[in-house]
Amino acid sequence: MSTLPRIVRQTLTIARRDFVATVFTPTFLLFLLSPVFTLGFGLIGGMGARSVTEGSTAKTRIVAIVAPAQQAAMRNADVRLRAVFSRGDQPSILTIIAPTGDPEAQARATFSGGKKDDTTAALYGDLTKPTILYGGQGRADARYLGSLAEATLRTDPTKAAQLSTPTLTSIARAAPTDSGHKQAAFIAVFGIFFLTLLLAGQAVGTMMEERSNKVIEVLAAAVPLEAVFFGKLVGMFGSALLFVAFWATLVSQIGGILPANYARAIGEIGPAVGVPMFYLLFFAYFAMAYLLLGAVFLGAGAQASTPRELQMMSLPITVIQVAMFGLALSATGSPDSTRTWFVELFPLSSPYAMAAHAANKPELWPHAAALAWQALWVAIAITIGARAFRRGVLQSGSGSMFKSRRRRAAESAIEVAS
């Protein structure tokens, strides 16, 4: 028998072994379903973003200050023009009012009527040469008002050839509106989710590495396992803080190099609790989300003995976390609904939802209760992970997190002597 057929048989044997070891595992099933997960993630994120956008658009308005004789024609023109737009691209709701006194002051007053009175653009003056004021995010609505003024003039047969030449003027809003709060909530939810998912995943392989080189047994003999788990979590959180601080410093400088219109649009996005307090709460909820997800990852990684088991355990956790992100994102558009209360109370989604709560509502007392609630679940996750590791891997029973180091050393000495 020649050498070549033998090499071929040996090659096919190795290939069959690796094929069976790869395919006949739960991990490969998750790999087959990965496109479904990817599409689901995109659908969840898209639905959440759409919920925020629709909730903001439904509360915005455009204002036209025109004479009573032209109001009916403008309403009819608005109905005709809106028929051209799809449902997702509809302009803001049109409000028509009659001029009183100074039309310019009247138009500017519509931008400062409170956060529930969210005006994106306001038109005043003669429709042949109107002036249109718009906020940082209302340029598209301002152009629509310009088209609406011309369409209104064309409804008069005697002025069919007369065109409107509007003057668009950008103004700065004094305070963020309700839509600005919702946009801040969306940014907070997405920011915490992105940072947590990016950084907390580092914890999943830490325990498996130290199991392979027997370091964890040495640490477990010296200190309680709960201290080992929490210490590792805090250490990794410190490295995550350096990452966040580095990129936060870079992102904070973007506003200085953006064009004025973009910078003004960003300025209209603001939280209800105020910017300094929002930064503190964002950091606190990022810390809670990181510690909670990191504790879950750490406990899962402690049970895995091979990279394949590690992937099998970490993927479902990631899927659940993305689902929590989608729930929190969809709740930002309706901060007073029952669904939002549930998302704020559920431990895995609570940090995201409460960050959105800080952007939508000015009350501070719910955040103290939420942070205490989340810290409790971080402690629960660490305790469960440590005891599962002690019982399943170290085979030393459930143990107690209050057992002293001297008592542990005495028990170890007795076991060695026996």
Side-chain angles (χ1 to χ4, degrees):
M1 184 177 294
S2 64
T3 306
L4 183 60
R6 182 180 180 184
I7 294 178
V8 171
R9 289 198 307 272
Q10 292 171 343
T11 301
L12 292 177
T13 300
I14 298 300
R16 183 174 64 253
R17 175 185 176 276
D18 287 353
F19 178 80
V20 172
T22 302
V23 172
F24 293 94
T25 58
T27 307
F28 187 75
L29 178 60
L30 296 176
F31 172 74
L32 290 178
L33 297 177
S34 59
V36 178
F37 294 146
T38 304
L39 293 175
F41 298 163
L43 182 62
I44 290 173
M47 292 176 61
R50 183 178 179 181
S51 174
V52 175
T53 302
E54 290 180 351
S56 301
T57 304
K59 295 184 179 180
T60 58
R61 68 169 185 168
I62 53 178
V63 177
I65 302 175
V66 297
Q70 295 177 309
Q71 291 183 4
M74 178 168 283
R75 288 194 180 92
N76 293 332
D78 179 57
V79 172
R80 293 196 306 273
L81 289 180
R82 286 180 184 273
V84 179
F85 295 90
S86 63
R87 180 180 178 183
D89 296 329
Q90 287 286 322
S92 301
I93 300 172
L94 174 65
T95 300
I96 302 177
I97 57 179
T100 57
D102 186 0
E104 180 180 358
Q106 190 178 1
R108 291 184 177 274
T110 62
F111 289 90
S112 58
K115 71 174 185 177
K116 298 297 183 183
D117 192 13
D118 192 355
T119 301
T120 59
L123 175 148
Y124 69 93
D126 186 2
L127 292 184
T128 59
K129 294 182 179 180
T131 300
I132 303 176
L133 307 178
Y134 66 94
Q137 304 181 56
R139 187 170 181 82
D141 285 339
R143 291 175 177 172
Y144 176 76
L145 280 176
S147 301
L148 186 59
E150 182 172 342
T152 302
L153 292 176
R154 289 186 179 278
T155 59
D156 188 350
T158 63
K159 300 179 180 180
Q162 189 171 8
L163 300 179
S164 176
T165 307
T167 300
L168 275 62
T169 304
S170 175
I171 64 173
R173 196 182 298 274
T177 60
D178 189 65
S179 63
H181 295 336
K182 285 184 170 57
Q183 292 172 358
F186 173 82
I187 293 173
V189 172
F190 181 80
I192 291 179
F193 168 76
F194 177 78
L195 291 174
T196 304
L197 197 61
L198 178 66
L199 299 173
Q202 299 175 357
V204 71
T206 302
M207 293 298 291
M208 191 193 73
E209 294 175 0
E210 297 199 347
R211 277 186 60 186
S212 61
N213 55 27
K214 306 300 181 182
V215 173
I216 189 65
E217 284 82 356
V218 177
L219 294 176
V223 296
L225 270 177
E226 288 78 9
V228 174
F229 274 64
F230 189 61
K232 287 183 174 297
L233 202 55
V234 172
M236 288 182 292
F237 181 64
S239 64
L241 286 184
L242 291 178
F243 178 91
V244 173
F246 173 77
W247 282 103
T249 303
L250 295 181
V251 172
S252 64
Q253 306 303 315
I254 292 180
I257 61 177
L258 288 176
N261 290 338
Y262 291 100
R264 193 175 293 114
I266 293 176
E268 292 188 356
I269 302 174
V273 296
V275 175
M277 180 58 66
F278 182 71
Y279 285 159
L280 292 176
L281 290 175
F282 180 88
F283 171 78
Y285 287 126
F286 162 68
M288 289 300 169
Y290 180 93
L291 292 175
L292 183 56
L293 184 60
V296 175
F297 271 134
L298 207 61
Q303 299 297 318
S305 57
T306 63
R308 186 172 297 165
E309 292 180 0
L310 195 64
Q311 294 175 359
M312 186 177 63
M313 292 180 178
S314 62
L315 184 57
I317 298 173
T318 304
V319 171
I320 294 174
Q321 198 66 14
V322 173
M324 295 300 101
F325 163 69
L327 284 176
L329 202 60
S330 63
T332 58
S334 52
D336 296 320
S337 65
T338 304
R339 177 184 56 184
T340 302
W341 278 90
F342 170 77
V343 176
E344 290 176 353
L345 288 174
F346 193 72
L348 292 176
S349 59
S350 181
Y352 310 124
M354 289 306 299
H357 187 105
N360 283 322
K361 295 185 177 182
E363 297 86 4
L364 295 179
W365 69 264
H367 300 289
L371 290 172
W373 171 251
Q374 294 161 21
L376 172 64
W377 278 97
V378 171
I380 292 174
I382 291 174
T383 303
I384 292 175
R387 292 189 175 182
F389 181 77
R390 182 185 294 115
R391 176 177 294 178
V393 179
L394 298 183
Q395 302 293 330
S396 59
S398 60
S400 172
M401 62 184 300
F402 302 104
K403 189 179 292 185
S404 66
R405 184 184 305 178
R406 182 176 299 175
R407 184 177 175 184
R408 290 178 180 272
E411 292 179 354
S412 299
I414 293 173
E415 292 177 359
V416 171
S418 61

